[in-house]
Amino acid sequence: MTGVENVPKEHKDRVLARRWMEPRGDAVLRDLPIALLQALRFWGGIAIALAVKWPLVANESGLLVLWLRDGGFRLLLVPFLLLVTAPLVTVAYFLVVRPPTQGRLGERLRGPLTATGAFLGHLVLVAGGGALTAWLGTAYLDEQPVLVVAGILVCLYGVARGVAFLWFAVPAVSRHMFRTVEIHQALPALITVALAWELALQDVLFPLTRWAGDPVLLPLGGAVATTLVAGTELWRLYTRHGMRFRLLTARPANR
């Protein structure tokens, strides 16, 4: 038909991730430096945590696999730590915060609870689907091959959907930490700092590999960098937007 264009259909999981993981429009500050700091405090901290050990393996090809394994393990650990850290930091914040000046507290919790539930549900879908696939393949493939193959295909479809959703959800989580920005603009930065120090302490106290010549304080580089970036973000929130840490203000204007 003349005048009708074929518009490609948007990816379903991208739509769901945007609906469940992105905060309300009126909760996001239109501030480019803060947006850059939000991306830097999460991804920059992880990159520095991985990079600080690169000199230890740069001239030792045998250690490269250990470095990749160490970094991969910590990346896989991040989602699980976040699901624990975000609620704990939020509860701790509620213990010291003053009553909100506008809106009920329950209204502020709806978005974070939705985002956390969606993320946890898809994480369980991936882990459960993968475990069920392995179990079916090893336990029943010889007895009921047709039914087992059909079941494995269904499980793999669920795993693929879960992975796709998490792939689109991670950028929103890295900036807004399960929409806790709807409670207070400072919460995502505080959660990221707590996460960075958890990963650093894991690396110091429970390392996967004993690196030769590795100073004790070396793994703390990523946590220190994340803390400095988050501190800069919080300072700009206070000086540019007048947001005080212990005061649950009205919803921010898009400035």
Side-chain angles (χ1 to χ4, degrees), residues 2-246:
T2 306
V4 176
E5 298 181 0
N6 292 324
V7 179
K9 187 177 181 180
E10 191 171 8
H11 198 288
K12 183 177 181 179
D13 293 300
R14 186 197 299 272
V15 175
L16 292 177
R18 184 183 299 126
R19 180 187 306 166
W20 291 336
M21 308 304 296
E22 290 284 349
R24 299 186 318 264
D26 62 349
V28 180
L29 289 172
R30 308 306 179 192
D31 188 317
L32 181 58
I34 285 183
L36 294 176
L37 289 170
Q38 287 172 342
L40 184 61
R41 65 170 146 79
F42 184 81
W43 297 111
I46 290 179
I48 291 174
L50 298 178
V52 290
K53 291 184 178 180
W54 175 251
L56 301 177
V57 302
N59 298 321
E60 296 286 344
S61 58
L63 295 178
L64 181 60
V65 174
L66 296 179
W67 179 72
L68 293 173
R69 186 191 69 173
D70 185 74
F73 171 78
R74 299 180 71 201
L75 288 176
L76 291 175
L77 191 61
V78 167
F80 300 97
L81 283 178
L82 270 178
L83 287 170
V84 176
T85 304
L88 290 179
V89 173
T90 303
V91 170
Y93 177 73
F94 284 149
L95 294 178
V96 300
V97 75
R98 298 175 185 176
T101 58
Q102 180 179 339
R104 292 176 297 178
L105 189 58
E107 295 177 352
R108 300 170 185 261
L109 288 173
R110 188 178 299 117
L113 289 175
T114 299
T116 304
F119 193 87
L120 176 60
H122 284 83
L123 199 62
V124 170
L125 180 63
V126 172
L132 188 57
T133 298
W135 177 69
L136 288 174
T138 55
Y140 296 103
L141 185 59
D142 294 334
E143 299 178 8
Q144 298 288 341
V146 177
L147 293 178
V148 170
V149 169
I152 288 176
L153 291 176
V154 172
C155 292
L156 291 178
Y157 174 77
V159 170
R161 290 299 305 271
V163 169
F165 178 87
L166 295 175
W167 174 264
F168 292 121
V170 164
V173 173
S174 67
R175 286 190 58 191
H176 307 298
M177 290 293 155
F178 302 113
R179 293 173 62 175
T180 52
V181 69
E182 295 183 6
I183 299 174
H184 193 284
Q185 294 287 324
L187 268 177
L190 298 178
I191 294 170
T192 308
V193 169
L195 173 69
W197 283 101
E198 288 169 356
L199 290 172
L201 292 177
Q202 173 269 317
D203 204 9
V204 171
L205 301 177
F206 308 103
L208 291 181
T209 304
R210 294 292 179 182
W211 301 91
D214 181 6
V216 176
L217 297 180
L218 183 62
L220 302 183
V224 172
T226 300
T227 303
L228 293 176
V229 173
T232 304
E233 178 185 346
L234 296 177
W235 177 251
R236 182 169 178 84
L237 285 174
Y238 175 72
T239 57
R240 174 69 175 82
H241 302 281
M243 293 187 179
R244 299 166 61 185
F245 173 71
R246 291 190 60 193

